[in-house]
Amino acid sequence: MSATAATTTNNDATMMNPAARFQPTNCWILHMLPTELHVNILTYLRAYDLVSIQLTCHMLASPQLTHAIVVHTAEHVYPPELTRGFDTPSVAGTNHVGPLYTYEHLKSMEMLVVARVLSRPEPATGYYVSKSWCKAALQWLQVQQQEQPVKKKLSKKQQRIRNRRLSDASPPWPNVNADLLCEHDKLKQCGSRASRAKRRILDKQAWKVIKKLYPDSNTLDTFEGECIQCRMEEETRKKSQADELERQRQERKRPLSCPVVRGFYTRSRGVPQSSVEPSGKSPLKPGVYHVLPRAWCYKWRRYLKTGEGEEPSAPCASALLCDAHRLPLIPPHLESYLYGGTLQLLGTSLVAEEQPAPAPVASIPVVGLAPNDEEMLQVLRAAGLSPGEVASQRMAMLNMERHRAAAAQEVAASLVSPTKDQLDRENSVVVEILTHEELVALQKWWPKVHSNLSFGFTVGARGEISWSIPPCRDCDPSSHYCRSDLYVKNRARGWIKKSSDKKRAPASLEY
């Protein structure tokens, strides 16, 4: 067989058996490459990858080649100030001391380089790195350093603590900026405080080192800033939310387009002022009126103004029904207002005749300013008082009159503007009065509701009042029946104190 035929046969066998390409007899071309080329190519890999190659290829397992790779990496790949001292026992350990370097030295060098890079001061500009990744990397490097055998024998407790500390750490993830990326693989948007808590800036040299050791990392330059697409989407989302809120506000305030409903919305005294008749027998003009709980009115006004809470249900007076007879109860403040007991609907329930009318402040005489002041001075002098005693007497009387005037003002203010607590203490339900037109205008905004309870009254031409539903006169319409400030006094306190040391049955089994 000729040489050409033998070569053809060998090529055909190689094509039929692909595994034959990787036989040592077919790797002769690697032996022809110079060692410097091998070193330059293999220094692009990390220690973990070089160990894997060393286990799969006998030609690259040479100790001299490994030593040359470690030396070239320490002198040319990384800056010398970052790799200085990587072969000392404190870094590489006592088990890796020898004439030739191994990949364990390269691994220690990489750990030392990462630790020194992350320990540098933070510059003003550069490249972003995740602070959580830096923390995990430093913790992992510390754990790897502590995994070296300890000369001193540790107790069981110390060994458990050491093992727990070592088990808590995990190797840093391949992408140093994985938690800083948005869905577009750019810098995620966050506030100033969050950015300081999540980001760290490295200089260009430090980033090159990190990028070589973790090539899957995304480069985030400080000059590029945050993702523009995310910012545009965020602005679009905010604008959509603002438009939606404005649409909801316009929809919520649609009832105010009706003048009748708007008049009820802006009311503060609980009575339509256009229907007040101050000089008649009844405080209201003749007509048909309805009452609504003030709690519903407050909730409805607040919803229209701020949009807080859910939309209130249709106006209903079912809160006025008693529990025993299911008949409406007339609140005391409403009955007192309609029958002349008070001048305001939201006033106190005291009858006007029983409450003394306070004198106006301007009509209260003040000693020393009245026209008959000379007569009083003559009376005081005739009584034998000295000029000093007369002056002190006048000042004392002046102070008394001032205190009296202040007390009268407080009483007048309490009668004019009672607090909400006073109304709640005297009435189980506080109501407001609406005209028939106002109630009809309100009910139009709940077109699907047709069966809510409506309770009202009619004012006749002579001031007589007739209720739309006969009210309940057997139940108490005030809030006194539901007072919760009562308490039960334990009359057997002394007996309990004496028998506290004895075993007692549960409270449910004592009687």
Side-chain angles (χ1 to χ4, degrees), residues 165-182:
R165 189 186 302 112
L166 297 179
S167 62
D168 291 341
S170 59
W173 45 94
N175 191 348
V176 300
N177 295 324
D179 56 337
L180 300 182
L181 298 177
C182 65

Side-chain angles (χ1 to χ4, degrees), residues 356-375:
V361 179
S363 63
I364 297 177
V366 181
V367 178
L369 301 177
N372 56 354
D373 189 40
E374 290 295 334
E375 298 179 0

Side-chain angles (χ1 to χ4, degrees), residues 241-260:
Q241 289 182 354
D243 295 343
E244 179 65 19
L245 291 177
E246 181 64 20
R247 187 194 64 80
Q248 293 178 2
R249 190 183 70 84
Q250 296 292 342
E251 182 69 20
R252 192 172 63 246
K253 293 194 174 184
R254 279 181 57 198
L256 300 182
S257 59
C258 178
V260 179

Side-chain angles (χ1 to χ4, degrees), residues 63 136 148 167 222 256 266 291 330 338 342 443 468 485 488:
Q148 297 180 4
S167 62
T222 56
L256 300 182
T266 57
V291 294
I330 303 177
L338 294 179
T342 55
Q443 290 177 346
S468 60
D485 55 352
V488 179

Side-chain angles (χ1 to χ4, degrees), residues 1-9:
M1 181 182 299
S2 63
T4 304
T7 303
T8 304
T9 303

Side-chain angles (χ1 to χ4, degrees), residues 55-222:
L55 296 176
T56 56
C57 183
H58 295 285
M59 188 198 69
L60 300 178
S62 170
Q64 291 76 15
L65 180 61
T66 302
H67 179 79
I69 292 174
V70 174
V71 172
H72 184 270
T73 303
E75 295 178 354
H76 302 285
V77 176
Y78 300 117
E81 62 272 10
L82 297 179
T83 60
R84 187 179 297 109
F86 75 94
D87 54 350
T88 57
S90 59
V91 178
T94 57
N95 297 332
H96 306 298
V97 179
L100 298 178
Y101 293 142
T102 62
Y103 289 135
E104 291 294 334
H105 290 88
L106 183 59
K107 179 182 177 182
S108 302
M109 183 196 306
E110 294 174 352
M111 295 169 53
L112 181 63
V113 167
V114 172
R116 288 179 176 175
V117 163
L118 298 181
S119 301
R120 285 183 172 183
E122 189 172 354
T125 58
Y127 299 88
Y128 286 115
V129 178
S130 171
K131 279 191 175 181
S132 58
W133 183 90
C134 297
K135 183 178 179 181
L138 292 177
Q139 187 176 2
W140 173 253
L141 297 178
Q142 183 180 3
V143 167
Q144 295 297 317
Q145 189 71 18
Q146 293 178 356
E147 284 184 350
Q148 297 180 4
V150 184
K151 297 181 181 179
K152 181 177 64 174
K153 186 177 181 181
L154 302 177
S155 62
K156 292 184 178 180
K157 183 178 180 180
Q158 294 175 344
Q159 187 65 30
R160 285 197 302 269
I161 295 174
R162 184 172 182 269
N163 294 337
R164 189 181 301 112
R165 189 186 302 112
L166 297 179
S167 62
D168 291 341
S170 59
W173 45 94
N175 191 348
V176 300
N177 295 324
D179 56 337
L180 300 182
L181 298 177
C182 65
E183 57 184 1
H184 312 106
D185 290 338
K186 300 293 183 180
L187 184 60
K188 187 190 304 183
Q189 281 192 332
C190 58
S192 58
R193 298 183 63 181
S195 62
R196 289 193 299 268
K198 296 181 180 180
R199 304 172 187 171
R200 177 197 170 97
I201 301 178
L202 297 180
D203 55 14
K204 185 175 182 180
Q205 185 183 32
W207 173 248
K208 285 184 176 180
V209 172
I210 296 296
K211 183 67 174 177
K212 179 190 180 304
L213 296 176
Y214 299 92
D216 296 336
S217 303
N218 293 71
T219 303
L220 301 177
D221 196 345
T222 56

Side-chain angles (χ1 to χ4, degrees), residues 16 74 83 202 274-275 301 359 365 462 494:
M16 295 298 295
T83 60
L202 297 180
S274 59
S275 301
R301 292 188 180 106
R462 298 181 179 179

